[in-house]
Amino acid sequence: KQGDPGEAFYVLTEGEMDVWQQVGQDHESKLCSLHPGECIGEMSLIAGQAHTATITAVVDCALLCLPKPVFDRVTAEHPEILVNIAGQLQQRFRQLQADLAMNRMFGKIDERLRQELLGRFSWRRLENGEVLFHQGEPGDEMFIVIKGRMRFVAEDTGGIQRVLCEVGTGECIGEFALLAEKGSVESRRTATVFATRASELLVITRVILDALVEHYPQALLHLSRQIARRAVSTNKSLSC
């Protein structure tokens, strides 16, 4: 249960379990589902902290349990186990970040639709200085910054470049192109965007956004508010 101390490491061997996290006082959000072969409780043991989520069984389950003293001894003797656990943690962290980003960007979405969309997202990693897209290119994807920082630079007809703004964690990029009709002039990128540090971005294609809006039209309202906030921020920056 969320908030309980971590006292054991588990491996799910049979069945399916759901991971829930308390959001506020009266709402729980489902983060992901666990299937045979996946680990439970490892983060609490490694970090020495309380459990950050509640795990519930969807069907009858069987688990392998290693109490903390046994876990500590086994990982000390076989450190490669920690490498495998780290891989699972990274995957779960990505899913959690994607879920939080969706809530910030589009508001509360029906649980079934949210899980379906999470399974269709992809990721993009950029190193410092690497370009995400160039001004004038057609746009069929938007992005949410999960980690890092991105800079927008536009070039005018005279060839003079100007920094428009920078965005960081939780902010969206490229949404204008997806809101415009595919293939239109308005759907082309209005700026070149590149990473100013190592960055990870969640990729949302036009197909995924269209499916979201079809089932959840309110997502457009939430997205429009994000666009308006950044437009105000950019205008303030350019007027300085």
Side-chain angles (χ1 to χ4, degrees):
K1 185 175 181 179
Q2 184 173 341
D4 287 350
E7 298 176 342
F9 169 77
Y10 303 89
V11 178
L12 181 61
T13 58
E14 293 180 21
E16 180 182 347
M17 308 190 81
D18 285 341
V19 182
W20 297 85
Q21 190 169 62
Q22 188 77 27
V23 181
Q25 294 184 344
D26 304 317
H27 177 66
E28 275 190 327
S29 176
K30 180 180 172 183
L31 302 183
C32 62
S33 295
L34 302 175
H35 302 93
E38 295 192 82
C39 306
I40 302 171
E42 69 284 359
M43 187 179 296
S44 296
L45 294 183
I46 294 173
Q49 63 183 23
H51 291 303
T52 57
T54 296
I55 314 294
T56 60
V58 178
V59 296
D60 290 343
C61 297
L63 301 98
L64 172 67
C65 174
L66 291 180
K68 186 178 186 305
V70 178
F71 176 82
D72 290 341
R73 185 176 71 251
V74 170
T75 53
E77 295 174 355
H78 303 279
E80 67 275 10
I81 293 176
L82 288 177
V83 175
N84 293 331
I85 291 174
Q88 286 207 20
L89 280 175
Q90 182 181 32
Q91 182 177 359
R92 199 174 299 168
F93 175 77
R94 277 186 161 187
Q95 189 164 12
L96 172 60
Q97 292 303 306
D99 184 66
L100 293 174
M102 279 187 62
N103 286 337
R104 283 194 300 263
M105 194 63 55
F106 303 116
K108 190 178 184 307
I109 300 172
D110 174 77
E111 181 64 30
R112 184 174 179 179
L113 175 60
R114 187 177 65 86
Q115 289 298 320
E116 179 186 341
L117 293 174
L118 285 172
R120 298 170 65 184
F121 289 149
S122 59
W123 293 81
R124 185 80 53 84
R125 178 174 176 81
L126 300 175
E127 299 301 330
N128 182 25
E130 191 172 352
V131 173
L132 178 63
F133 54 73
H134 291 90
Q135 183 176 345
E137 291 180 347
D140 284 314
E141 297 172 326
M142 66 172 283
F143 308 87
I144 301 177
V145 182
I146 300 300
K147 181 181 73 174
R149 195 155 186 85
M150 309 294 295
R151 181 174 295 167
F152 290 64
V153 177
E155 183 176 304
D156 63 23
T157 54
I160 298 175
Q161 292 187 340
R162 185 169 187 180
V163 175
L164 300 180
C165 64
E166 290 192 4
V167 299
T169 301
E171 296 187 87
C172 57
I173 300 172
E175 68 283 0
F176 287 103
L178 264 63
L179 294 177
E181 184 179 355
K182 184 175 181 179
S184 66
V185 174
E186 292 79 13
S187 69
R188 293 190 173 274
R189 305 298 191 186
T190 57
T192 295
V193 179
F194 63 91
T196 60
R197 66 188 69 167
S199 302
E200 284 198 5
L201 302 99
L202 186 68
V203 183
I204 302 176
T205 65
R206 184 182 295 275
V207 172
I208 293 175
L209 183 63
D210 287 347
L212 172 61
V213 172
E214 180 182 354
H215 292 90
Y216 184 69
Q218 298 95 319
L220 274 181
L221 176 61
H222 290 277
L223 185 57
S224 298
R225 287 171 176 166
Q226 293 279 343
I227 293 171
R229 279 195 288 268
R230 193 170 74 222
V232 170
S233 177
T234 300
N235 288 336
K236 286 182 178 178
S237 175
L238 292 176
S239 63
C240 293

